[in-house]
Amino acid sequence: MIPPRKPPTMVDIAREMGVSPMTVSRAFKADSLISKETREAVLEMAERLGYVFDSTAANLRSQKSDFVAVTIPSINNANFADTVGGLSDRLAAHDLQILLGYTNYDMQEEERLIEQLLRRKPQAIVVTGGKHTARARRLLETVSIPVIETWDVPAEPIGHYVGFSNSDAIRQMVDHFVAVGYRKLAFIGGDAGRDTRGSERRSGFIAALQAHGLDDTRLIGAGTPPISMREGAAAMARLLDTYPDTEAVICVSDLSAFGALTECQRLGIDVPGRIAIGGFGNYDLGEICVPSLTTINAFSRDIGEKTAELILDILAGEKPVRNIQIVPELILRQSSR
Amino acid sequence: MIPPRKPPTMVDIAREMGVSPMTVSRAFKADSLISKETREAVLEMAERLGYVFDSTAANLRSQKSDFVAVTIPSINNANFADTVGGLSDRLAAHDLQILLGYTNYDMQEEERLIEQLLRRKPQAIVVTGGKHTARARRLLETVSIPVIETWDVPAEPIGHYVGFSNSDAIRQMVDHFVAVGYRKLAFIGGDAGRDTRGSERRSGFIAALQAHGLDDTRLIGAGTPPISMREGAAAMARLLDTYPDTEAVICVSDLSAFGALTECQRLGIDVPGRIAIGGFGNYDLGEICVPSLTTINAFSRDIGEKTAELILDILAGEKPVRNIQIVPELILRQSSR
DNA sequence: ATGAAAGCGCTAACAC
DNA sequence: GTGTTAGCGCTTTCAT
């Protein structure tokens, strides 16, 4: 039985090869002054000794990490996953690693998470949404790295933002529904204050209906986020019960919209014949289901990619655009006129 | 304009308060010998100076991080997201932070990622699946931290595993389908070698059919992973074209199964009347769609939670069970007898 | 309950 | 192209 040995360090490699630790260090850094042969010999020896580079030590000494911190409400949501995917792919090319945390749609949890993530001294921090606890806001304002809020147009941006107005997006759909003749419109979801994007969609719905002088009281709650398909189905059942003459319903997301659709299928209610359904987020699901779902494309992946590019620009010392406004797109499909 | 200042360190707090840096350090550590008043005073001063604890320095000095490294094939997959969620929730309670990377179903990428993650000196590393490149395997064998392979029962486990046999799981479904009278069975997906779990499901399907002495040639490819709903739909179209008398089809996941179902809906083909469909993974989608999907529950979240507990046991110095075998469960729903 | 000294593994800064 | 020196911010260890 071999006794457990201390893992090798750069000093061990240097001693073994009769060079200085500095030379070993240079061999591991991409664009440093070192001869090709020396570098290859060092890397070979490193592999032979089972050496693993220590990022912790490197980060401490150079006083910069290769982390970008990111918080999202939920890991299990295709929209946010797309944003993280876009971010991650673009940043990986520059050897930046995502440090991901999820808030479970809870601002207290977000505060805790932001504090924890900042302890790693990330190069930048990306948060979802433009509403935070007072302390979280203070932490983000104080920190000396780029702060990017996403998926929203914050009332008072902390640093940069890459997002869109959730209420404007919903208005697009309401305007279309009214234009094609629907008059009795309902909204499912957005009742829990925790999900600020959901709440904004709901209030955008109300404002849009008021602008058209239509009834804005057909609001069905769906419970605490994340709103599942099942909760969408339950909400649809309640809607049909409470306001049976509703002509079109807009749901807080495609997931709840699909749940609502399945409820209609179970009850034998024709969509869009008897009631039209609109969703939000352009999930894969809504494109393939039968009937397919009218929805709003918020370009989740673009949000991530553009955020990454903004970060890279800032880190490269370029004077970037301060904010990036995404323009959501209404996609008409079979679930509505 | 205030010139950019260096962020405060523990030394700054100590100087400001007339105590030693060690006292400040103790104030930030949970169970250390320090009076309640001193701790509170220190924390208050820290908040006042805008101090942020430096985990990098702490990790370097104490030679242990609070990271657990995790690789999954894709961030945008509800099953893996559930596993990560289970892991993360259990580990967060012990102040361990997940360091997540995704491989995009590519073993080369997995190798690159494992190397990068190990540089952070995590406390443990969790990988998805039991097949790796030779070098990745060597890295994992050499490293002196717990290694846990998940979602599989590896032929030669590196360290521990928390998983199930994908082929056994599929056999359960085949056996049931044969028992209720289906004789002409097909399989969609699992053709790309990249997704080893998919391949195992496919070969498990073939083996099970051979055991029953039935035709095992009805195999429809679905392209490179991740297999989308859309690819499931396209595969179903090809299946109906190539083997129109097929009585039941098993899909590599619920997502492709749902795609296949929608294709039948578009073509006016009765499910399960004319053809039965089975999926894999017990996604929310399959429970709520109409007809709901017969599937296999692999307990994704349990895999994460049990992996977390295994890690915590090992780190606590307990002699844990080496491996945890998950027993997948066949769930019968409306899409089949 | 608090303090002093040393050093984790690496790299910035400077020398040659 | 390579070497020397010092130190990043914290915590281990030992002392009081």
Side-chain angles (χ1 to χ4, degrees), chain B residues 20 23 26 33-35 38 61 63:
Chain B
S20 78
T23 299
R26 290 193 176 102
L33 285 77
I34 185 173
S35 75
T38 315
R61 174 61 245 221
Q63 288 295 86

Side-chain angles (χ1 to χ4, degrees), chain B residues 5-286:
Chain B
R5 292 169 43 85
K6 270 192 60 176
T9 68
M10 283 190 179
V11 175
D12 297 318
I13 298 175
R15 190 184 330 97
E16 201 72 22
M17 299 188 56
V19 299
S20 78
M22 205 47 236
T23 299
V24 179
S25 173
R26 290 193 176 102
F28 278 92
K29 192 149 173 194
D31 48 345
S32 45
L33 285 77
I34 185 173
S35 75
K36 199 159 171 265
E37 306 88 68
T38 315
R39 162 170 287 141
E40 276 164 12
V42 168
L43 294 181
E44 200 177 317
M45 177 61 76
E47 192 73 22
R48 218 160 65 67
L49 297 181
Y51 170 75
V52 178
F53 182 93
D54 189 331
S55 297
T56 308
N59 289 344
L60 175 61
R61 174 61 245 221
S62 62
Q63 288 295 86
K64 67 197 269 274
S65 75
D66 39 8
F67 283 129
V68 168
V70 180
T71 76
I72 54 176
S74 162
I75 192 178
N76 195 345
N77 175 297
N79 274 183
F80 298 129
D82 280 346
T83 297
V84 173
L87 250 170
S88 185
D89 289 350
R90 289 287 160 107
L91 294 178
H94 295 255
D95 283 317
L96 289 167
Q97 157 108 26
I98 297 269
L99 196 54
L100 185 66
Y102 61 95
T103 66
N104 201 24
Y105 294 91
D106 178 351
M107 291 200 334
Q108 283 301 330
E109 187 59 23
E110 187 197 48
E111 174 186 317
R112 211 189 56 72
L113 197 59
I114 287 171
E115 183 164 23
Q116 201 193 331
L117 292 173
L118 289 180
R119 291 177 161 209
R120 309 283 175 191
K121 313 288 170 182
Q123 296 265 51
I125 180 162
V126 179
V127 297
T128 304
K131 268 192 82 183
H132 319 279
T133 65
R135 202 172 104 82
R137 203 182 159 86
R138 188 149 25 85
L139 286 169
L140 293 174
E141 282 168 346
T142 311
V143 84
S144 60
I145 54 171
V147 175
I148 298 101
E149 295 168 284
T150 61
W151 274 90
D152 205 349
V153 173
E156 296 181 56
I158 296 172
H160 307 260
Y161 70 78
V162 177
F164 59 91
S165 160
N166 281 274
S167 55
D168 285 1
I170 287 292
R171 185 156 32 108
Q172 267 192 73
M173 190 179 280
V174 170
D175 288 353
H176 169 79
F177 277 7
V178 172
V180 297
Y182 300 122
R183 288 295 172 271
K184 293 167 183 160
L185 306 193
F187 191 85
I188 283 177
D191 49 309
R194 296 175 65 186
D195 178 12
T196 56
R197 285 157 298 288
S199 308
E200 272 171 43
R201 290 172 202 164
R202 182 192 179 105
S203 53
F205 173 81
I206 295 172
L209 282 190
Q210 288 174 347
H212 287 287
L214 294 174
D215 175 19
D216 63 351
T217 60
R218 297 170 184 240
L219 307 171
I220 305 290
T224 49
I227 308 301
S228 64
M229 305 185 212
R230 176 178 299 285
E231 287 160 330
M236 182 57 128
R238 259 178 292 131
L239 172 63
L240 293 169
D241 208 47
T242 321
Y243 308 106
D245 60 342
T246 299
E247 297 163 352
V249 56
I250 297 179
C251 301
V252 71
S253 81
D254 279 1
L255 302 180
S256 43
F258 178 72
L261 171 62
T262 64
E263 187 64 18
C264 292
Q265 293 174 331
R266 274 184 291 274
L267 298 173
I269 290 175
D270 182 40
V271 176
R274 161 132 171 239
I275 187 168
I277 298 180
F280 196 108
N282 193 29
Y283 290 68
D284 287 349
L285 173 60

Side-chain angles (χ1 to χ4, degrees), chain A residues 9-10 22 25 51 61:
Chain A
T9 70
M10 284 190 181
M22 202 50 231
S25 174
Y51 170 74
R61 174 61 244 228

Side-chain angles (χ1 to χ4, degrees), chain A residues 60-61 88 111 203 208 232 260-261 272 274:
Chain A
L60 175 60
R61 174 61 244 228
S88 184
E111 175 187 315
S203 53
L261 171 62
R274 159 124 176 246

